Amino acid sequence: MIETIYIARHGFRLNWVTTNWTSATGTARDPTLAAYGVTQAEQLAKHFASLPESDRPTAIFSSAFYRCLQTATPVATALNLPLYVEHGETTGIGEWYSPVEPGTGLHPRPGNAHSLKQYFPLIDTSYSSTWLVSRYGESLEEVQRRTDGFLEAFIPRVEGGDPAPLAHHGSSGVSTHKKIILIGHAASCITLIKSLAGSKVDGADIRIGTCSVTRMEKESEGGVLGAFKVVGQLADASFLTNGVERDWGFRDILVDETTGRVINDHGVPGSENEVDETSHGGLLIPTSKM
């Protein structure tokens, strides 16, 4: 049974330092980490390696965006673990985009684990994602529902050792993973914390800094949503040289004063004629495709 979930955000992004950058993979809106972000990721790895062995995660799941995999790699190296990629522009731990403005195209989607392994050799390509979400973007209500759905599908997969890579610590096809880490983005970190803690936290008030970590502990049997609590400092950055930086929360988004809804964003230029196979609302990937 999963007892502990560590939720971490990626490090300092290169596009926060300069406008002169290119995507390493060719995926739009997918900056690498700045040199400072790499340093933060190394400090994150040192933090996890310093934990008592009984508290260290035994499985690492990362968003497919480059900055998240860059952040996850030092952690995986320090703990001698593979990387499992949750693919898609907005998987349960991936980036969040507001709804696209009609006629402006679609939001970007990173490559899959096989295409990303050339950049990040620690990726285990035998693991397939749990959830693939629409490139049309999401409202605030939709991103929270998406996270709920992801966790209700994802946690049983990990606990059941499905697919096979997740059972590598156990026997008879049953996983013994008790502590895992999810590495994503500010918005997904917030919705993950809210989904796991339920009414014990106010998602609107949560702010997440770069490379910060929130530790969630299971406190009730049965189910996933609302069954965990925050242990210690929420979005802890005490192990980072400069503490909390570039923290973000949902109160920072632009909202239409008339409707109260998040303002639409433009899709990627040139994607106006592309078709998203998930349509609106996203897609739970069935086991048969794993």
Side-chain angles (χ1 to χ4, degrees), residues 21 23 31 40 62 118 134 139 197 262 275:
W21 65 274
S23 169
Q40 287 184 312
S62 174
Q118 62 183 303
S134 171
S139 66
V262 60
V275 177

Side-chain angles (χ1 to χ4, degrees), residues 92-226:
I93 56 178
E95 182 66 288
W96 169 70
Y97 292 108
S98 59
V100 288
E101 185 68 24
T104 66
L106 302 174
H107 291 307
R109 176 173 290 153
N112 59 29
H114 290 276
S115 68
L116 292 167
K117 189 175 177 65
Q118 62 183 303
Y119 308 103
F120 302 100
L122 292 180
I123 290 175
D124 185 338
T125 57
S126 62
Y127 174 81
S128 295
S129 298
T130 306
W131 199 275
L132 195 62
V133 177
S134 171
R135 293 176 63 193
Y136 292 102
E138 302 163 294
S139 66
L140 296 182
E141 295 79 9
E142 287 169 337
V143 67
Q144 192 64 64
R145 287 199 300 269
R146 174 252 291 185
T147 307
D148 289 350
F150 163 76
L151 287 168
E152 289 183 309
F154 169 77
I155 296 299
R157 281 188 73 197
V158 178
E159 292 182 334
D162 179 25
L166 297 181
H168 75 282
H169 284 273
S171 60
S172 303
V174 177
S175 170
T176 59
H177 291 299
K178 295 182 178 180
K179 295 174 172 59
I180 63 173
I181 178 171
L182 307 178
I183 297 181
H185 310 259
S188 60
C189 289
I190 292 170
T191 57
L192 285 165
I193 293 167
K194 175 60 179 172
S195 291
L196 291 168
S199 60
K200 295 185 285 293
V201 300
D202 184 348
D205 289 335
I206 298 174
R207 300 189 66 82
I208 305 291
T210 51
C211 270
S212 63
V213 178
T214 298
R215 178 171 177 161
M216 310 289 296
E217 297 278 358
K218 189 86 179 279
E219 64 174 353
S220 60
E221 296 294 329
V224 175
L225 305 183

